[in-house]
Amino acid sequence: MKRYVVACGQYYFVGKNTTSKELILKKGFMQGSVFDDLDKAKKIAESLNGKVRQLTLTNPEE
C-alpha cells in the first residue's frame, strides 16, 4: 500500500484547526499526516503550494 505526506519546504502538513481554521504545519515527516488517497494529498498540496511525497514503508514479516 502506498502512503503519502504533503511537504511544504521543510514543514509537513498535519491538519487544520477546527476552531480557528488555521493550518497546522510541523517540521519532520514523522509529524505529518499520512494519506492513503493520492488525490486528496494532491488537493492539499496544490492549496499550499507544496509537494506530495511518497513514504516507503516496509514490513519485513510479510
Side-chain angles (χ1 to χ4, degrees):
M1 177 183 290
K2 294 182 180 180
R3 302 202 187 244
Y4 308 93
V5 292
V6 176
C8 302
Q10 59 183 333
Y11 294 92
Y12 290 82
F13 174 78
V14 177
K16 190 178 212 179
N17 185 322
T18 55
T19 307
S20 66
K21 305 294 184 203
E22 291 179 344
L23 296 175
I24 302 168
L25 300 172
K26 292 191 177 181
K27 283 188 175 183
F29 78 93
M30 293 298 288
Q31 299 289 327
S33 293
V34 178
F35 298 93
D36 293 335
D37 184 0
L38 178 58
D39 292 330
K40 184 175 182 179
K42 280 183 179 178
K43 285 180 186 176
I44 293 171
E46 286 174 8
S47 68
L48 297 174
N49 280 340
K51 296 180 180 178
V52 175
R53 298 214 174 137
Q54 182 178 338
L55 293 178
T56 304
L57 303 176
T58 58
N59 185 351
E61 296 176 6
E62 287 184 7

